[in-house]
Amino acid sequence: MCTRILWNTNHHAVLAGRTMDWPESTEPVLTVFPRGLERNGGMLGGTTVVADNPLRWTSGFGSLVTTVYGAGTADGINEAGLAAHMLYLDSTDLGPRDPGRPGLQIALWIQYLLDSARNVQEALDLLDTCQLVPVELRGFQASVHVALEDAAGDSAIVEYIEGRRQVHHDRSYTIMTNEPSYEEQLRLLREKVRAVQGLGHDRPSSEVPLPGNVNAVDRFQRAAYFGALLPEPADDRQAVAAILAVTRNASVPFGAPYREGRFKTYNTEYRTVCDLTGKRYFFELATGPNLLWAEIDRFDLSPGAPVMTLRPDGTDLVGDVSDRFTRAPAPF
């Protein structure tokens, strides 16, 4: 059900790792969007889902993202150094639709922010410009919350609970998973920290009892613990390896039981790392041994440039694959 880990305390790069945990393939495609694209926030793929007063905008920044089901954006970074991640939150409640406000279908939420903002504060300022509208993707309600971070290390978590927006904005908000709400996750983490401290401050870190299951609370606390232990890296390569190590530790192994319902397992499908300093985007498919990445500055992001895509499931894809992207068929 996804984990996001931000590392903004080392001296080499601001890095954010995330897992995509889902019961089936989300059909990820790495996609580069240039500036100057005319957007309609009422479209889901080729279908109109917000007919009354859809939000319309023109992309002001180019971005490198991972799409979901070809109908929205799940994760990505823009050329200004803003990154955004959508994670599942079952308790999401957007409230009733107000047709007097421009409507944005929720699967395009972070694409709107990446298109329009250069940092976390600018992204938060955009939240009042529209109203999010729920949609369904492949039989699943797109019930999500969003994590944002930028090249300065700023961070924000945005949720909609009982129809009201809740924002946690501070560079200290580095971990996000799923249920329960973020405020409750922070409370549970504080309780865990107090319990561990009660065991004695001289206890070796290898003997600290950690939750080891795959539910959202356990992953949140495990990622917070190991993320706080990361040593200062010697270089950018070691920094990326370090955040990947924690991201893999929070991943869900194949077959691990999670919940009842349509599917009982939500295994990790892929992992990404956003290098906000170097403007590189790393991608690792859980079913393959190869780590690949692309550098956003190597693409033509000028208005009128083509949308470029890459399906990341080829076993021959490894290392810098910036030159392996191909023009997407029009219209995109």
Side-chain angles (χ1 to χ4, degrees):
M1 300 287 279
C2 309
T3 303
R4 172 265 204 171
I5 305 150
L6 171 63
W7 192 17
N8 55 6
T9 57
N10 73 82
H11 295 96
H12 286 275
V14 175
L15 301 166
R18 73 85 51 89
T19 68
M20 169 59 83
D21 309 336
W22 202 238
E24 62 183 25
S25 173
T26 61
E27 302 171 11
V29 178
L30 301 183
T31 304
V32 176
F33 292 117
R35 303 174 220 113
L37 290 177
E38 300 295 326
R39 303 282 201 182
N40 183 340
M43 300 299 293
L44 181 66
T47 303
T48 299
V49 292
V50 184
D52 52 337
N53 192 17
L55 178 70
R56 299 179 185 274
W57 73 96
T58 302
S59 60
F61 299 98
S63 59
L64 170 54
V65 307
T66 301
T67 59
V68 53
Y69 294 132
T73 297
D75 191 80
I77 182 174
N78 74 10
E79 61 179 314
L82 173 71
H85 322 273
M86 284 204 312
L87 281 70
Y88 190 76
L89 183 69
D90 189 56
S91 58
T92 296
D93 178 3
L94 301 176
R97 172 75 175 118
D98 175 6
R101 300 180 61 194
L104 173 64
Q105 65 97 344
I106 199 169
L108 288 178
W109 184 7
I110 67 170
Q111 190 60 59
Y112 171 54
L113 301 180
L114 292 173
D115 283 352
S116 310
R118 70 184 67 246
N119 55 43
V120 169
Q121 185 58 62
E122 288 189 5
L124 295 178
D125 292 342
L126 289 169
L127 297 179
D128 287 327
T129 62
C130 62
Q131 181 184 36
L132 294 175
V133 179
V135 294
E136 187 176 280
L137 296 173
R138 302 291 174 86
F140 296 95
Q141 283 296 321
S143 301
V144 298
H145 54 171
V146 161
L148 303 165
E149 67 271 344
D150 61 32
D154 197 9
S155 175
I157 310 297
V158 185
E159 299 178 337
Y160 285 81
I161 307 296
E162 297 180 349
R164 303 168 72 175
R165 185 169 68 230
Q166 297 184 5
V167 177
H168 295 80
H169 180 199
D170 189 290
R171 60 183 294 120
S172 67
Y173 298 126
T174 58
I175 309 299
M176 187 169 91
T177 55
N178 317 106
E179 299 293 338
S181 67
Y182 198 69
E183 189 63 43
E184 179 65 9
Q185 286 277 24
L186 293 175
R187 186 189 69 79
L188 293 171
L189 180 61
R190 289 192 294 267
E191 287 187 356
K192 181 65 177 179
V193 169
R194 285 195 295 269
V196 169
Q197 289 175 341
L199 297 173
H201 292 286
D202 59 344
R203 191 180 184 92
S205 61
S206 62
E207 295 182 10
V208 172
L210 286 178
N213 219 308
V214 299
N215 64 72
V217 173
D218 283 18
R219 286 184 283 109
F220 190 104
Q221 296 185 10
R222 201 160 63 247
Y225 177 77
F226 286 114
L229 292 177
L230 288 175
E232 179 65 25
D235 51 33
D236 292 351
R237 177 177 176 178
Q238 191 176 96
V240 172
I243 196 68
L244 268 173
V246 181
T247 307
R248 289 165 179 154
N249 183 274
S251 296
V252 179
F254 297 145
Y258 186 79
R259 63 192 301 177
E260 297 299 320
R262 179 178 173 187
F263 296 93
K264 296 181 175 62
T265 59
Y266 288 75
N267 304 145
T268 295
E269 179 187 13
Y270 62 79
R271 289 170 283 265
T272 70
V273 172
C274 290
D275 177 352
L276 283 300
T277 304
K279 297 179 184 176
R280 292 177 295 170
Y281 188 69
F282 295 81
F283 187 96
E284 180 181 61
L285 200 63
T287 53
N290 39 336
L291 176 67
L292 54 94
W293 64 86
E295 300 182 11
I296 192 168
D297 289 341
R298 292 187 58 187
F299 294 92
D300 181 2
L301 302 177
S302 61
V307 174
M308 305 291 286
T309 61
L310 177 69
R311 295 190 178 276
D313 54 354
T315 56
D316 61 328
L317 295 173
V318 64
D320 187 350
V321 295
S322 303
D323 60 353
R324 300 288 297 273
F325 282 67
T326 57
R327 183 190 294 258
F332 190 86

